[in-house]
Amino acid sequence: MVAKTDPSDGPASSPPILTRREFVRAGALVGAGAAAAVSAVVIDRTTATTNDPVGADTVRHLPVLNNIKPAVDEDVLIRMQRDLLKCMAKPVEQRRWVMVIDTRKCVGCHACTMACIAENKLPPGVVYRPVLTEEFGEYPNVQLRFTPRPCMQCDEPPCVPVCPVKATWKRPDGIVAIDYDKCIGCRYCEVACPYGARAFNWETFDGRNPAVPLWGETEVERRPRGVPEKCSFCFSRIDRGLALGLTPGVDAEATPACVNICPMGARAFGDLNDPESPVSRLLAKYPSYRLREDLGTGPRVYYLPAREEGAEG
Amino acid sequence: MTTLAIKPRKFAMPGPLQVWLAGLATIMVAGLAAGLIVLSRGLVVTNLTDLVPWGLWITIDLSAIAMSAGAFSLSAAVYLLGLKRLAPLARTATFIGLIGYSMAVLCLMLDIGRPDRFWHALVFWNPHSVLWEVTMCVTLYFTVLVIETTPIFGGLPWLKRRWPRFSNQLVGLHRLAPLLALVGLGLSMLHQSSLGATYGVLKARPIWYRPDLSVLFMLSAIAGGQALTVLATTVTARLRPQIKLEAEALDKVSRFIGWTLVVYTYIRFWDALSMTYTYLPGRTEGLRWLTRGPFAFNFWVGEILLGAVVPSLLLLAPRLRQLGWTRTVALALVVGGVVAYRWDVNLVGQLVLLSYLPTEITARYTQYVPSLIELVSGAGIVAYGLLAFTLGARYLNVVDHGHERAHATVSKTTALPLAEAAGAD
């Protein structure tokens, strides 16, 4: 079937596979298409989202109140606006939520783990904050140290830049959040996290959760199958508490569940940008360490090491 | 000799081809059933855990993409460097590439937790993510491969008889080959190396955290992809004696694979040796697992000895290479070595974990053995690849070194005689 042909008669030499005109035209077409696609995406991405709760466009000052003097029997709407202003006085992006865990006080009771399961409605087998046990020394001189390990809410979270769909991001107040509706379940974030803080939903769970008390459920959405989840510093409690004018770390309603439950008071929570917050005071008073600081992740969970009895002021 | 010849034998004993196809189809059906179980019950049916979230499927995915690298490298050689003699090989490689990338897509559809959202990466961009870049490049390059292989499908004898004009239009898309080769080269260089970088950027896993992975993934993909192309060509020609081969072109490419392996082995050793100088928690333990632990056989025999050293010797010594069977064996070894490399890289970083407790940074070890469902569905995907290539070789003439020239000279003038010729082939 194949006739012996002159080598110059090959597939490309005659006729030319693509004339210069065709090449230029095709190139221009591809270039125009690419430019159109890129500009469409850039325009789409630079347009401000309307439901963004933070940022320069957020209304923070209601000048109308400047002319109204506070009164005891003022209108309830005016009162509400005053409260709103109060809780917006410090923008959320200037907050710096931090957890301090005192390993000297922790007795390893796992109450925090249970409170977290009930608060966040964790499916069976998933734990956001295990309490790890270490043993030092030899019998009879044995010491135990318990290290509760929530998500570190890193300043440079390794899980965020790797996500191919931007389903996980750092909120302006530093909490690393997950969009369960965006996530494709590739588990790159799980591989990237040095703390093993993320747990994947390997199977569907829609039964009643035995860990959630019968008298009430929190307003935390259940995660679908096929996405990872992790400790969120209970940001639903923080957000709701702030809207009510409460102070996270001081008022229990605005504080993560694990901090509230701890029977030893071994942990504190608060805004590190506020010098009066419980965490600022603790960290000013005692030395502290963080886990795997050498990785440069900048964890926001601080641990207070064991120290002499009575050294606590 | 094609369709007509089969009819009289319709009720006779099935030939080896039919047995082969039936076997593959059986595995595919089993794989399909396993895949449906995965989709309905979720990833709980796998042995993947939060500690080892990437397992067998990711290895198949990485290997399939590596095996497809012949498409971009040979197309670039033909249409950008002007090595016209390799054109028939590039045609085969492109077809293998199309199969390989579709295999990779199938693997990922099983592997991601939300296959219904596979398109999210195309809409919600995160340019910081290596995996996003890989997804975009793979999607775009898959499109390039579809256009590149359209002339092959357009040349289907049945289509030529039925709609000769449409068939000619499809075959005519071959004009775009140089442009596609250029685009494909860029996209492939980007994602073949980025697949290595996917691992290489993770500081949490010290055995992965080094820039060499990108280079090694790239080089091994070029060697493995071209090896599979030449191997598939040789085996097909052996089974279908009427196929004409350009022996010299195959020989040249085989020698090139040999040299690529030498460069790969050099960088691989340099990379491994440099890791032995200082103790780095996690990395040293990982290297120990590779060289002395559970991966030792896979590493020394599968990757280094049989995967790189032996084939590069067989392919570079002219007398050995031209023996014929030695070249085939060497190429098969290269393919196996690349798969072993992908398996080792993927798993060693996950099985050796680092503790994060403050006392001492120590390595911990974990286990992963694929579940039956993972194995069956993975086998189904591989069977699909083999089946698709067999059908392509049988009905689309993807391996035919006489075809290209006849096509290029004849199709410009008359389409019908070629259709008849192909039908009677």
Side-chain angles (χ1 to χ4, degrees), chain B residues 367-416:
Chain B
Q367 288 295 322
Y368 166 73
V369 177
S371 74
L372 187 65
I373 298 261
E374 279 177 273
L375 284 168
V376 173
S377 49
I381 291 171
V382 176
Y384 148 75
L386 291 172
L387 186 85
F389 183 79
T390 311
L391 292 178
R394 182 72 181 79
Y395 297 106
L396 294 172
N397 281 326
V398 291
V399 181
D400 190 354
H401 293 200
H403 178 86
E404 280 283 302
R405 293 206 163 181
H407 150 72
T409 45
V410 179
S411 66
K412 276 287 165 188
T413 48
T414 47
L416 275 175

Side-chain angles (χ1 to χ4, degrees), chain B residues 10-262:
Chain B
K10 206 171 183 179
F11 301 104
M13 280 291 287
L17 179 69
Q18 279 92 332
V19 173
W20 167 247
L21 289 179
L24 290 178
T26 315
I27 301 174
M28 266 178 74
V29 170
L32 185 71
L36 288 176
I37 293 175
V38 173
L39 293 183
S40 65
R41 290 202 44 213
L43 294 171
V44 69
V45 296
T46 66
N47 279 352
L48 299 171
T49 59
D50 286 328
L51 296 179
V52 189
W54 291 346
L56 177 71
W57 291 333
I58 291 296
T59 309
I60 299 178
D61 161 76
L62 292 173
S63 306
I65 289 183
M67 290 310 143
S68 310
F72 90 86
S73 51
L74 289 171
S75 293
V78 173
Y79 300 105
L80 302 179
L81 296 182
L83 305 172
K84 302 278 187 315
R85 190 169 277 179
L86 303 184
L89 261 185
R91 186 177 134 97
T92 311
T94 316
F95 190 72
I96 291 177
L98 185 77
I99 299 171
Y101 277 85
S102 55
M103 283 168 71
V105 169
L106 286 175
C107 278
L108 290 180
M109 290 302 273
L110 286 179
D111 191 74
I112 61 174
R114 298 297 303 240
D116 52 319
R117 298 178 185 160
F118 71 94
W119 48 274
H120 274 202
L122 307 181
V123 180
F124 305 111
W125 291 15
N126 183 10
H128 298 287
S129 171
V130 188
L131 208 52
W132 172 79
E133 188 234 301
V134 170
T135 315
M136 292 301 274
C137 284
V138 165
T139 312
L140 291 172
Y141 185 55
F142 191 65
T143 316
V144 167
L145 279 173
V146 168
I147 306 174
E148 273 185 328
T149 47
T150 302
I152 299 179
F153 290 102
L156 188 73
W158 172 81
L159 193 69
K160 280 194 170 166
R161 271 198 305 279
R162 196 71 194 273
W163 291 293
R165 185 179 284 192
F166 180 56
S167 161
N168 263 1
Q169 279 171 345
L170 294 186
V171 173
L173 275 178
H174 190 64
R175 291 178 309 126
L176 296 176
L179 192 69
L180 294 173
L182 187 64
V183 177
L185 178 69
L187 291 171
S188 294
M189 298 280 273
L190 277 169
H191 75 261
Q192 293 281 6
S193 57
S194 290
L195 280 170
T198 302
Y199 296 101
V201 297
L202 298 183
K203 205 173 182 183
R205 316 265 177 168
I207 184 80
W208 286 342
Y209 187 61
R210 52 192 214 277
D212 321 1
L213 276 183
S214 314
V215 181
L216 289 169
F217 264 58
M218 188 80 191
L219 287 173
S220 58
I222 292 176
Q226 296 192 357
L228 184 66
T229 307
V230 179
L231 179 69
T233 306
T234 317
V235 172
T236 312
R238 190 69 182 267
L239 296 175
R240 296 188 76 197
Q242 66 267 42
I243 291 175
K244 292 184 177 56
L245 285 188
E246 283 229 26
E248 204 185 324
L250 293 178
D251 194 62
K252 285 249 163 63
V253 174
S254 303
R255 209 181 51 167
F256 177 76
I257 297 168
W259 280 117
T260 313
L261 280 178
V262 169

Side-chain angles (χ1 to χ4, degrees), chain A residues 12 17-18 22 134 136 145 149 161-164 180 182-188 190-191 195 200 202 225, chain B residues 39-40 43-44 49-50 53-54 84 111 113-114 117 120 124-126 129 132 175 198 204-205 356 359:
Chain A
I17 288 170
L18 203 66
E22 282 173 328
E134 288 167 284
F136 303 96
R145 176 171 59 196
R149 195 234 56 214
V162 300
C163 176
Y180 305 116
K182 223 181 198 183
C183 172
I184 59 170
C186 71
R187 308 189 288 286
Y188 197 7
E190 270 201 302
V191 179
Y195 304 102
F200 192 73
W202 299 100
R225 184 184 91 194
Chain B
L39 293 183
S40 65
L43 294 171
V44 69
T49 59
D50 286 328
W54 291 346
K84 302 278 187 315
D111 191 74
R114 298 297 303 240
R117 298 178 185 160
H120 274 202
F124 305 111
W125 291 15
N126 183 10
S129 171
W132 172 79
R175 291 178 309 126
T198 302
R205 316 265 177 168
Y356 41 78
T359 30

Side-chain angles (χ1 to χ4, degrees), chain A residues 12-76:
Chain A
S13 50
S14 76
I17 288 170
L18 203 66
T19 63
R20 180 171 300 177
R21 183 185 297 263
E22 282 173 328
F23 190 84
V24 170
R25 195 189 290 162
L29 208 64
V30 170
V38 167
S39 52
V41 169
V42 166
I43 288 168
D44 181 57
R45 286 160 63 82
T46 46
T47 316
T49 48
T50 47
N51 55 0
D52 193 356
V54 294
D57 295 339
T58 314
V59 181
R60 290 224 171 72
H61 302 288
L62 304 175
V64 59
L65 289 184
N66 293 345
N67 304 325
I68 304 174
K69 284 186 178 162
V72 179
D73 55 346
E74 68 188 353
D75 188 88
V76 67

